[in-house]
Amino acid sequence: MRTPDSSPTAPAARLDPATLTWVALVALTLFSALMTAHGSHPGWRLAAALGVAALCAIKGRLLVRGYLRPSEAGPVFDRIVRLFAALAPTLLAASALVEAWRALAG
């Protein structure tokens, strides 16, 4: 008797977590490129940059969970990787705020 998982098409229908992570990263990258392709007003650029920073944070979490798995390497490596994944989008957002402030002030 065949179970639903033993059918010939079942393995092809399911994607492994690494492939799903990769597909999500590609989709988020394309979306962030579309976000920054429009508008030159400082307010729009700020909104787009903050959106890209948020997407960067999501992509960082996907990379940490889907590929790096720092908790398996040890607590020090885990903290370093998680700090970088949090720091990069935070600094990107801060940079966007400074650029918008300068553009609106001048």
Side-chain angles (χ1 to χ4, degrees), residues 4-98:
D5 289 338
S6 66
S7 68
T9 59
R14 266 185 276 150
L15 296 175
D16 64 330
T19 302
L20 289 174
T21 300
W22 181 82
V23 169
L25 288 170
V26 169
L28 288 170
T29 299
L30 293 174
F31 184 63
S32 64
L34 287 174
M35 285 180 58
T36 60
H38 303 293
S40 61
H41 186 271
W44 171 252
R45 285 197 321 252
L46 174 62
L50 292 176
V52 169
L55 290 174
C56 179
I58 294 168
K59 288 167 66 175
R61 290 188 59 83
L62 283 172
L63 279 171
V64 168
R65 284 185 185 169
Y67 288 109
L68 298 178
R69 297 184 194 118
S71 59
E72 295 174 11
V76 173
F77 185 69
D78 184 37
R79 280 188 227 119
I80 290 170
V81 169
R82 290 184 190 280
L83 176 66
F84 180 76
L87 194 59
T90 302
L91 292 176
L92 182 60
S95 173
L97 288 171
V98 168

